[in-house]
Amino acid sequence: MGLTESAKRGHHKNIELSKNPEKGKTDLAYIRDELRYDNKKNFSSPLPNYKLSDKDTAKIQAAVEKHKQKKK
């Protein structure tokens, strides 16, 4: 899942966030509604100017669980 400013990816809707996680930005932000897997070494530390709200964190966790259920 990744952060984007686009409401759609092709024919698929992205998950709208209630608040832009980037400090100082007020425009709409979205999370891509897809899971991608990679090695842990390919990820960096969390970005310092980004903070998800508790409401958005719960929404994203629910989407992840939904995708995991489909994968089984």
Side-chain angles (χ1 to χ4, degrees), residues 4-5 28-29 45 60:
T4 183
E5 292 179 351
L28 289 176
S45 61
I60 292 168

Side-chain angles (χ1 to χ4, degrees), residues 14-30:
N14 292 322
I15 301 168
E16 185 176 342
L17 300 177
S18 61
K19 181 182 173 189
N20 194 321
E22 186 175 2
K23 189 176 182 179
K25 282 205 163 187
T26 57
D27 50 335
L28 289 176
Y30 301 86

Side-chain angles (χ1 to χ4, degrees), residues 30-47:
Y30 301 86
I31 294 288
R32 287 191 305 270
D33 193 15
E34 65 177 334
L35 290 181
R36 292 185 183 178
Y37 295 91
D38 205 348
N39 291 326
K40 192 173 182 178
K41 67 179 183 174
N42 293 328
F43 292 93
S44 63
S45 61
L47 298 171

Side-chain angles (χ1 to χ4, degrees), residues 42-63:
N42 293 328
F43 292 93
S44 63
S45 61
L47 298 171
N49 290 336
Y50 289 79
K51 175 85 169 111
L52 283 171
S53 69
D54 292 339
K55 183 179 177 182
D56 291 334
T57 300
K59 190 186 298 187
I60 292 168
Q61 286 176 338

Side-chain angles (χ1 to χ4, degrees), residues 57-68:
T57 300
K59 190 186 298 187
I60 292 168
Q61 286 176 338
V64 168
E65 289 302 318
K66 183 177 111 181
H67 283 287
K68 286 182 177 181

